[in-house]
Amino acid sequence: MAELRLTDNLKNVLGAATAKALDTGLRLRTVEDLLRHYPRRYAERGQLTDLAALEVDEHVTVMARVQKVDSKSYVDRRTGRRADRLEVVVTDGTGQLTLTFFKQSWRAKDLREGRVGLFSGKVTVFNRSRQLTHPDYVLIPDPGGTREPDSVLGDLPEADDSVLRYAGALIPVYPATAQMPSWKIASAVGIVLDQLPEDLEDPIPEPTRTRYGLPHLRGALLAIHRPESRDDVTAARTRLRWDEAFVLQTVLAQRRIAAAALPAVPRVATGRGLLEAFESRLPFTLTNGQVEVGTTIADDLARTHPMHRLLQGEVGSGKTLVALRAMLTVVDSGGQAVLLAPTEVLAQQHHRSVSAMLGPLAERGLLGGSDQGTAVALLTGSASTARRRQAMLDIASGEAGLVIGTHALLEEKVQFFDLGLVVVDEQHRFGVEQRAALAAKARDDNRPHVLVMTATPIPRTVAMTVFGDLEVSTLSELPVGRSPIATHVVPVAEKPNFLDAAWERIQQHVAQGRQAYVVFPRIGGDRATDEDTDAPSDADAVEKRRQPLAVLEWVDRLSDGPLSGLRVGVLHGRLPPDEKDDVMRRFTAGPASANGIDVLLATTVVEVGVDVPNATVMVVMDADRFGVSQLHQLRGRIGRGGHAGLCLLVTEMPQGTPARERLDAVAATSDGFELARLDLEQRREGDVLGASQSGTRSSLRMLEVLRDEDVIVASREEATSLVLGDPGLATVPALARAVAALLEEERADYLEKT
Ligand code: ADP
Ligand code: MG
């Protein structure tokens, strides 16, 4: 017989029928797929499953003891004849579960009182008791029993006794389906394990295994599927987590190293002194963090290879300023820098604030402008044709050293004179492909330097996994003089009059010369789907709820009611760009201006980046419709100046619901990292990674990004030094294959989506 290989198709090893069942239900196709289908948990001989914990509609595998067996007779509605129904009650000692078999009373011969077995099926409720109908099962050998070979029933061939014979004290319980109950999977795994070659190749090189005391792959696979003890399982799990982390980190190290080898033009601020001139105009001093990260970035920019850096920081930590200094460095060296914003509102705001901060320096060519200066071009998709044409001209001629815009900048016809730096603001809305599109716009074969900014703090391990091809810098301190934001939940279900109090607070703050936001989850109007219904997915799961509150439906109600006398503005994604710009200008101008706006009623278009330091109150309507990080971002719009901020989270959710707990968590802490972690923990792991590296979704089975920091950190180091010494992975063929498989999966995923 030919030697078994991990890449072999299961059809050739297990036969067509079993292979098909494994493929349809579980998408397991190769030997490796099957071996990497790890037990979810282990049933312990003599230890019964807690039946009280079973969830209705779940497919479960439980170990329980037969307590009572009853045969009942009933009339079959279809045939009109009498038939029998076997009802077997099994117990874990306290709870009970009923197993029901129609017209199979012969099973009573084996399912006798006192027998212990594994039972598998979907939990349903009948007559107020939980039951499994026609479960698959396998009985555990009766230690004191005199019966000859253990009786195994169902459709199982006698050979499946082997499953239990191999299983020591721990019986693996696999994620299973109706066609493939746990023990059938175990039996299939057993067949494969028995043929596993002695010299199975290991994707983790020997020196790494020795350094970290990791068992060989072969041993780990045997231990995870046929453990002798809990310790076996622990050791095997660690090793298998390493597998996943190591392969992923190898891919990322290869990318990082390849990217670092690309050519880039070094950008060292000399020449015009735009950076110095700008800094001397700043009304504040830089924070230590801003100085430190600034130095790191300046060093990166001076290299002959492109920078790939992620800048993360708490809301309001001053990331934009760090980016702007880098951009001016590049302009000073004679190149161009572009700032890519996720929304038009944000692009416009950046354009306004950069122009304002630069003052005359941003008016080269204009009368009264400075010779040192440069032009700042704004390019957005919905600007007028004439304006777009002018912007594109300035960009292509190099007249505009600083370029700010939205996705429109990615279009092929946008040509740069000499693009040196790409800054991507609020990264999570941009994909890898979009970054690549901009990277292709540099001169000759050079690549631009890239700085990605993210407003949602990313836990270190996630950064290393999802953005593992980027170096990470963090701004953790806020500029001095920031005032704290107090956040309160306004539970309108329990205290309806609290909402009135919220409007009064707005009135009070405005009377003191401050401004306010009222944020809604929906735009409203007649459209069925709104771009701004960004409700977290668990909110959707709550049975038919009313539509989220819509800003357009509240304008009159508020301005004629509790907010009367205040100047109210409305901002949402469907407004034409000029109107958005106008509203934001008037809100920024504030109470001092004749046509200023006091209260901005808005959707989540104000979620990221919007910067109006005079705004001090925010009321979030239907706050439970937003995610934790999103609320933290929203509230980051206030408390930016010297006045204390107040954020009111309005909700109808009753106390004790998960939604309310989320809001309480947001109210309880202002630490964005903590909230980001909470946010991630509440989602499935796949979603954490889904954001940008969907390919890794199915390849991470054992590794939990938030938990396994030590494994991720160590495997990143090991993978990096391996790839530096052996870029093609010639010395570790098993790893080369695993890397190729991961890339293939990523590619397939990508194709599926486009
Ligand atoms: P974020 O990191 O959330 O993008 P911003 O870059 O929008 O933060 O900065 C928030 C506000 O803080 C802006 O008004 C900015 O001008 C101001 N700011 C930035 N750096 C400093 C500093 N060192 N001292 C005081 N204010 C600062
Ligand atoms: Mg920002």
Side-chain angles (χ1 to χ4, degrees):
M1 187 167 64
E3 189 162 77
L4 183 82
R5 284 188 313 196
L6 293 180
T7 48
D8 286 350
N9 196 307
L10 287 173
K11 222 183 316 180
N12 308 329
V13 188
L14 301 170
T18 306
K20 179 143 189 284
L22 286 168
D23 187 354
T24 344
L26 300 161
R27 300 185 66 183
L28 306 175
R29 285 166 201 158
T30 64
V31 166
E32 171 139 30
D33 290 347
L34 180 61
L35 288 174
R36 302 260 185 208
H37 187 69
Y38 307 127
R40 174 177 292 149
R41 58 189 176 80
Y42 300 86
E44 254 173 80
R45 268 180 215 264
Q47 239 185 48
L48 306 180
T49 312
D50 177 12
L51 296 178
L54 299 182
E55 306 249 356
V56 174
D57 280 348
E58 294 252 309
H59 188 97
V60 300
T61 302
V62 301
M63 176 118 74
R65 172 178 295 108
V66 177
Q67 188 177 34
K68 199 171 73 164
V69 184
D70 261 340
S71 188
K72 297 189 173 160
S73 140
Y74 69 102
V75 177
D76 185 316
R77 252 188 253 155
R78 202 165 43 84
T79 61
R81 299 220 193 108
R82 297 205 73 76
D84 64 81
R85 177 176 80 225
L86 190 66
E87 278 188 12
V88 179
V89 177
V90 297
T91 178
D92 61 3
T94 45
Q96 292 177 331
L97 186 68
T98 306
L99 316 178
T100 312
F101 301 91
F102 295 92
K103 302 177 196 171
Q104 297 186 352
S105 55
W106 47 271
R107 290 189 186 275
K109 183 163 58 81
D110 295 275
L111 289 166
R112 285 168 310 136
E113 217 179 290
R115 287 304 304 264
V116 172
L118 282 167
F119 303 93
S120 172
K122 192 167 143 182
V123 183
T124 54
V125 173
F126 185 72
N127 277 345
R128 288 200 286 151
S129 71
R130 281 174 306 169
Q131 65 164 318
L132 307 179
T133 305
H134 287 187
D136 275 301
Y137 58 93
V138 57
L139 295 172
I140 306 295
D142 196 352
T146 51
R147 293 160 47 90
E148 57 314 354
D150 319 323
S151 170
V152 176
L153 302 174
D155 318 327
L156 293 168
E158 283 304 309
D160 275 13
D161 276 15
S162 65
V163 175
L164 294 177
R165 232 179 260 127
Y166 270 120
L170 299 173
I171 301 167
V173 177
Y174 291 92
T177 63
Q179 306 82 36
M180 265 289 149
S182 181
W183 49 89
K184 280 196 187 170
I185 296 172
S187 143
V189 169
I191 293 170
V192 169
L193 282 180
D194 287 341
Q195 301 175 53
L196 212 55
E198 285 297 329
D199 57 352
L200 185 73
E201 280 183 322
D202 197 317
I204 301 185
E206 217 274 325
T208 301
R209 290 202 311 267
T210 311
R211 254 192 300 280
Y212 289 90
L214 304 172
H216 188 280
L217 176 63
R218 187 172 195 280
L221 289 172
L222 283 166
I224 201 83
H225 293 292
R226 290 173 178 168
E228 305 266 322
S229 67
R230 291 273 168 199
D231 287 348
D232 273 7
V233 175
T234 309
R237 279 197 174 139
T238 305
R239 149 72 215 214
L240 296 170
R241 273 182 204 126
W242 256 88
D243 267 5
E244 293 169 13
F246 192 71
V247 173
L248 183 56
Q249 292 301 335
T250 302
V251 170
L252 295 170
Q254 283 180 324
R255 271 188 205 157
R256 219 166 40 235
I257 289 164
L262 295 168
V265 178
R267 309 284 176 174
V268 182
T270 45
R272 299 194 243 199
L274 201 54
L275 180 61
E276 286 79 10
F278 164 75
E279 282 175 352
S280 66
R281 288 176 53 92
L282 273 183
F284 43 69
T285 49
L286 301 178
T287 64
N288 292 334
Q290 284 172 324
V291 173
E292 233 167 77
V293 176
T295 309
T296 311
I297 292 176
D299 289 348
D300 285 353
L301 294 176
R303 299 220 170 86
T304 52
H305 300 292
M307 166 173 81
H308 290 275
R309 188 166 289 279
L310 175 74
L311 174 59
Q312 59 172 352
E314 186 56 272
V315 195
S317 57
K319 294 184 289 290
T320 316
L321 188 67
V322 171
L324 192 55
R325 290 179 72 223
M327 292 171 78
L328 291 171
T329 305
V330 170
V331 176
D332 268 345
S333 77
Q336 289 171 294
V338 53
L339 173 58
L340 198 52
T343 65
E344 193 151 316
V345 168
L346 210 50
Q348 289 168 344
Q349 173 189 285
H350 280 315
H351 184 250
R352 276 193 308 272
S353 68
V354 167
S355 305
M357 279 203 267
L358 289 172
L361 298 172
E363 295 166 13
R364 190 159 76 139
L366 297 181
L367 214 56
S370 156
D371 285 348
Q372 280 176 312
T374 186
V376 187
L378 173 68
L379 187 70
T380 63
S382 38
S384 72
T385 319
R387 261 199 243 172
R388 285 226 315 256
R389 195 172 299 141
Q390 185 59 50
M392 279 166 57
L393 214 58
D394 291 347
I395 296 169
S397 69
E399 186 68 16
L402 294 171
V403 180
I404 296 169
T406 56
H407 286 82
L409 284 169
L410 302 175
E411 285 171 29
E412 206 159 330
K413 54 180 189 275
V414 181
Q415 302 278 338
F416 287 79
F417 180 71
D418 181 13
L419 179 59
L421 170 66
V422 174
V423 178
V424 182
D425 193 12
E426 320 298 1
Q427 137 286 317
H428 55 286
R429 313 237 168 136
F430 284 107
V432 175
E433 312 92 71
Q434 290 162 322
R435 260 201 272 152
L438 263 178
K441 292 185 185 293
R443 255 192 180 183
D444 307 326
D445 288 334
N446 290 309
R447 297 304 167 101
H449 299 280
V450 177
L451 179 65
V452 176
M453 296 195 284
T454 170
T456 308
I458 302 170
R460 190 163 110 97
T461 50
V462 178
M464 278 187 195
T465 316
V466 183
F467 304 106
D469 52 344
L470 301 172
E471 308 289 334
V472 180
S473 292
T474 305
L475 283 181
S476 44
E477 101 198 82
L478 295 184
V480 289
R482 282 293 161 73
S483 311
I485 302 170
T487 305
H488 301 287
V489 177
V490 179
V492 284
E494 294 131 60
K495 319 255 179 185
N497 55 332
F498 274 28
L499 188 57
D500 297 329
W503 307 129
E504 275 162 37
R505 296 307 290 271
I506 290 185
Q507 288 279 5
Q508 286 163 9
H509 278 246
V510 173
Q512 287 160 15
R514 306 281 85 79
Q515 290 163 278
Y517 296 93
V518 184
V519 180
F520 293 84
R522 197 162 64 90
I523 300 174
D526 13 289
R527 293 239 202 132
T529 52
D530 281 344
E531 78 237 52
D532 290 302
T533 39
D534 271 347
S537 55
D538 60 337
D540 298 340
V542 178
E543 44 183 294
K544 296 237 164 46
R545 283 163 69 180
R546 65 159 169 72
Q547 286 234 322
L549 298 179
V551 62
L552 292 179
E553 288 154 24
W554 278 68
V555 179
D556 292 344
R557 205 161 145 182
L558 288 174
S559 41
D560 298 342
L563 300 183
S564 67
L566 308 186
R567 291 173 296 177
V568 171
V570 180
L571 187 71
H572 59 74
R574 288 211 306 264
L575 290 179
D578 288 349
E579 209 166 316
K580 279 185 210 162
D581 193 35
D582 180 58
V583 171
M584 274 316 293
R585 272 177 199 281
R586 286 165 52 210
F587 189 58
T588 308
S593 158
N595 67 348
I597 290 172
D598 300 315
V599 184
L600 189 63
L601 310 187
T603 57
T604 50
V605 286
V606 297
E607 177 190 347
V608 288
V610 167
D611 187 29
V612 178
N614 191 49
T616 51
V617 195
M618 173 174 284
V619 175
V620 184
M621 303 299 283
D622 270 351
D624 48 275
R625 305 281 182 152
F626 301 96
V628 166
S629 291
Q630 210 178 5
L631 289 170
H632 184 62
Q633 285 302 320
L634 279 169
R635 123 180 111 174
R637 302 309 110 215
I638 54 173
R640 302 194 139 228
H643 301 281
L646 176 66
C647 176
L648 300 173
L649 306 175
V650 180
T651 179
E652 287 177 3
M653 286 289 135
Q655 193 146 28
T657 55
R660 247 315 256 293
E661 277 164 23
R662 275 205 326 255
L663 297 183
D664 289 338
V666 175
T669 179
S670 57
D671 183 338
F673 277 88
E674 199 180 313
L675 292 172
R677 209 180 166 89
L678 184 78
D679 215 359
L680 293 174
E681 270 165 7
Q682 290 188 342
R683 302 187 220 169
R684 279 178 309 123
E685 193 79 3
D687 296 337
V688 175
L689 301 169
S692 76
Q693 273 213 317
S694 48
T696 57
R697 185 181 302 219
S698 44
S699 53
L700 295 194
R701 296 180 178 89
M702 198 69 107
L703 190 72
E704 283 181 29
V705 175
L706 293 175
R707 181 197 59 194
D708 297 323
E709 174 158 359
D710 48 347
V711 174
I712 293 171
V713 172
S715 63
R716 177 175 162 105
E717 272 169 30
E718 293 287 314
T720 306
S721 65
L722 174 71
V723 174
L724 281 172
D726 177 13
L729 306 174
T731 58
V732 202
L735 179 61
R737 276 196 301 275
V739 162
L742 181 63
L743 294 176
E744 174 55 32
E745 197 183 300
E746 214 177 65
R747 201 184 61 87
D749 248 44
Y750 177 73
L751 290 179
E752 221 164 86
K753 271 192 295 181
T754 46

